[in-house]
Structure formats: C-alpha cells, structure tokens
C-alpha cells in the first residue's frame, strides 16, 4: 500500500527510502516479482461514495518509481482499494503502470480486460497471471465501466473464472492465480476461501497466492492462502502482529511449485526491513504452526523458512 503516509516518503526522500536494501536485493534477484497493489496511482479523483468505507488509499505518480526500484514485473489491482478515488483515478493507474513498464491484472476499463490474464516471460518460461477479488461488489467492472475483476467466491467459483483459468493454462507454462479473498485480520483461511482454492487448482491454476487478511497464513500444496503485507502504514494488531511478515520466493515449473522460501520481514511505519532476533522467532513459530495445521512441514535454511513441495 503506497498511499497515505507511505506516499509522502517517495516524494520527500526518493523511492529507495521505503524498503531496506537487503530486501530490495532479494526481490530483484527473482526472475519475476508480482504483488498486490492496494491503492490507485493518481493525483486526481474523489473518494468513493460509500458511507461505510473507512479507508481511502491513493498513491502519487512517483509511486511507480518505488515499484521499479523493487523490480516489480506485474501487479494485481483486484482488491477493495483500486477504486478508492473513482474511475478516473483507476484509469490513471493503468496509464502510470504502463508508462513504468509494469503489467497489471485484475482490473480494467471494462470487464473483459479486468478478467484477462497477462503472460510474463523469464528465460523462455511463460507465466500467466490472473487477479480476482471477492469484495466489494460495487467495484466490479462492467461491459463499459472501469472496475475490478469481481467474483462472488463466498458462494462458489463462477464458471467464467474456471474457464478463464483453464484457457490461461492452455496458453502458458504455468498459471499464477492471485485472489483477494476473505475478511481482514483473520489468523487462518475462512471456509469459503478453503473451498475456492481446490476449485481454482482443479481448473488449472499452477499456483494460488492469496491476500486480504493482512497477516500470512499457511501453505497447502500449491496454495499460499495469504501472503500477508509487505509495505504499509497500518495500525498494528498486538496479537496477530501484521507488522511481521514474509516475502515469498517460489520455485515453479509446469508441474507446480517445487519449493517455497519465505524471508522474514519487519514492517515498520512506512519502511520494510529484514526481521531480527525475537521478530524472526515469532514469525517462525507462527508460520510453522499455520503450515502444520495444513499438514505441511517447514524447515529453516539460512535464515529462511522453507517448504519443500517436490
């Protein structure tokens, strides 16, 4: 999330002021780097007119420099903040990302574009990326209306999404499905998320990497239920500790994820750095317990939490 207080940092101190160099180096070393962008990028627009909406996140155009500094290849905009400042700000977001050389999924000027995957390539390997969100319904793109790729996953995985994943798999070596699903601040996946995940895998998703809870969840096979947060200015829950996170590095081939390495992070106010000491210990306990509940074992190697899947 690059809006609000975070937005002031790249303007005042440059894009390198938000993330520790060691974390940047880890991100840049990946063949491809994909994240959920929990804001629009614009200097225009007005807050979305809904009385029950408490937070509105908008980043300035300078935020693209932050994404470029991190080496981001693609972002998903399928979330509950993409339209925080209306359609004009969302359309600006598309333009700023495109100008910065960053692909985007999960939103569009119309529903067809919002649902369409993009195909990224690294060393000849083609990865299709798709984004979808299960909230809010009023952000949904329409035939001639900008918005997000909305799916009512609370009830079922809709046919258009099943077909879309299957079609993407036929055109790429692997498919990354990245859903924004479930409520905030939940310690484990809620029932409808657990039900949707295997349906997406059965449709052809090689890797499912979710987000929305603001805290990381466990891994079960090719499903990373929630990635948690990476950079923000959010208030910290003293029990769930959303200021302690993980950067997930996934080794992937056509058969699915082979290995996951999770790098412990500490999210200070508007600044992310490697976790240290007791922070690392807390993250390790939390992640091992979350994975164990799903029948997944975690090992520690070189300060990283490793799940060997194949």
């Amino acid at each position: 999330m690059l809006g609000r207080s975070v937005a002031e940092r790249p303007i005042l101190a440059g894009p390198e002021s938000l993330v520790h160099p060691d974390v940047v180096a880890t991100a840049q070393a990946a063949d491809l780097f994909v994240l959920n962008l929990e804001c629009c990028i614009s200097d225009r627009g007005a807050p979305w007119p809904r009385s029950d909406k408490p937070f509105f996140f908008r980043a300035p155009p300078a935020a693209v420099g932050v994404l470029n500094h991190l080496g981001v290849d693609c972002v998903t905009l399928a979330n509950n903040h993409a339209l925080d400042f209306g359609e004009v700000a969302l359309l600006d977001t598309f333009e700023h990302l495109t100008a910065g050389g960053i692909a985007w999924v999960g939103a569009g000027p119309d529903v067809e574009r919002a649902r369409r995957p993009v195909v990224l390539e690294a060393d000849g390997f083609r990865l299709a990326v798709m984004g979808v969100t299960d909230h809010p319904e009023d952000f949904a793109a329409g035939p001639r209306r900008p918005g997000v790729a909305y799916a009512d996953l609370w009830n079922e995985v809709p046919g258009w999404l099943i077909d879309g994943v299957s079609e993407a798999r036929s055109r790429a070596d692997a498919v990354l499905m990245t859903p924004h699903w479930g409520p905030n601040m939940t310690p484990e996946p809620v029932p409808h998320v657990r039900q949707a995940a295997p349906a997406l895998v059965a449709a052809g998703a090689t890797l499912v990497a979710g987000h929305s809870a603001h805290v990381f969840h466990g891994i079960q096979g090719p499903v990373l239920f929630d990635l948690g947060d990476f950079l923000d200015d959010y208030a910290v829950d003293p029990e769930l500790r959303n200021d302690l996170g993980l950067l997930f590095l996934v080794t992937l081939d056509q058969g699915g994820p082979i290995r996951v390495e999770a790098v412990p992070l500490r999210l200070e106010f508007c600044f992310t750095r490697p976790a240290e000491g007791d922070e690392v210990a807390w993250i390790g306990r939390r992640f091992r317990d979350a994975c164990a509940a799903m029948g997944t074992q975690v090992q520690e190697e070189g300060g990283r939490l490793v799940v060997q899947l194949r």
Side-chain angles (χ1 to χ4, degrees):
M1 198 288 291
L2 300 178
R4 242 173 21 186
S5 297
V6 185
E8 300 172 5
R9 285 285 185 91
I11 294 175
L12 297 177
E16 66 281 355
S17 65
L18 294 170
V19 181
H20 191 281
D22 290 349
V23 179
V24 174
T26 300
Q28 290 180 345
D31 295 313
L32 295 170
F33 187 19
V34 181
L35 53 74
N36 171 51
L37 183 62
E38 193 100 349
C39 61
C40 58
I41 299 177
S42 178
D43 51 14
R44 302 194 298 163
W48 188 260
R50 199 173 73 197
S51 60
D52 63 341
K53 186 170 178 55
F55 302 116
F56 298 87
F57 301 146
R58 176 176 58 182
V64 174
V66 177
L67 301 175
N68 288 147
H69 179 63
L70 288 167
V72 173
D73 295 282
C74 177
V75 302
T76 174
L77 298 168
N79 57 59
N80 57 312
H81 291 288
L83 271 166
D84 274 3
F85 283 80
E87 294 178 2
V88 65
L90 180 60
L91 294 172
D92 285 349
T93 303
F94 304 151
E95 292 187 8
H96 290 306
L97 291 170
T98 300
I102 299 169
W104 43 274
V105 297
D110 54 54
V111 66
E112 188 277 331
R113 176 61 179 87
R115 294 176 177 179
R116 186 194 311 163
V118 300
V119 179
L120 311 176
E121 187 170 333
D123 296 327
F125 188 84
R126 291 167 55 83
L127 177 68
V129 182
M130 300 181 67
V132 68
T133 182
D134 66 7
H135 65 286
E137 186 174 3
D138 58 340
F139 275 18
R144 290 175 295 277
R145 184 180 67 220
V148 303
Y150 168 78
D152 184 13
L153 302 178
W154 298 82
N155 292 305
E156 64 177 358
V157 179
W160 67 261
L161 183 53
I162 295 292
D163 293 342
V165 172
S166 179
E167 169 65 18
R169 185 61 187 269
S170 71
R171 298 191 295 112
D173 296 307
V175 176
L176 166 61
M177 182 73 234
T178 176
H180 198 71
W181 53 10
N184 296 164
M185 307 309 291
T186 54
E188 60 186 17
V190 296
H192 83 270
V193 168
R194 291 180 183 269
Q195 292 168 7
L200 294 172
V201 173
T206 318
L207 176 67
V208 178
H211 33 84
S212 182
H214 296 299
V215 294
F216 59 82
H217 290 169
I219 295 175
Q220 187 172 51
V223 182
L224 283 61
F225 278 99
D226 205 292
L227 304 177
D229 291 352
F230 179 74
L231 175 66
D232 57 50
D233 68 350
Y234 302 153
V236 177
D237 185 290
E239 294 186 8
L240 293 178
R241 293 301 304 270
N242 51 301
D243 62 328
L244 298 178
L246 291 166
L247 173 60
F248 290 90
L249 307 173
V250 182
T251 303
L252 186 70
D253 68 9
Q254 294 180 349
I258 301 169
R259 175 183 172 94
V260 179
E261 297 183 21
V263 182
L265 303 175
R266 168 67 194 281
L267 281 66
E268 296 179 348
F269 186 75
C270 305
F271 182 73
T272 298
R273 61 166 173 80
E276 301 173 348
D278 291 344
E279 299 163 348
V280 173
W282 190 96
I283 293 169
R285 288 194 300 271
R286 172 77 178 86
F287 188 58
R288 281 189 290 269
D289 289 347
C291 286
M294 299 176 179
T296 302
Q297 293 186 338
V298 179
Q299 305 296 325
E300 184 176 342
E301 297 181 16
R304 296 180 176 183
L305 300 167
V306 176
V307 174
Q308 193 71 41
L309 294 168
R310 283 195 285 132

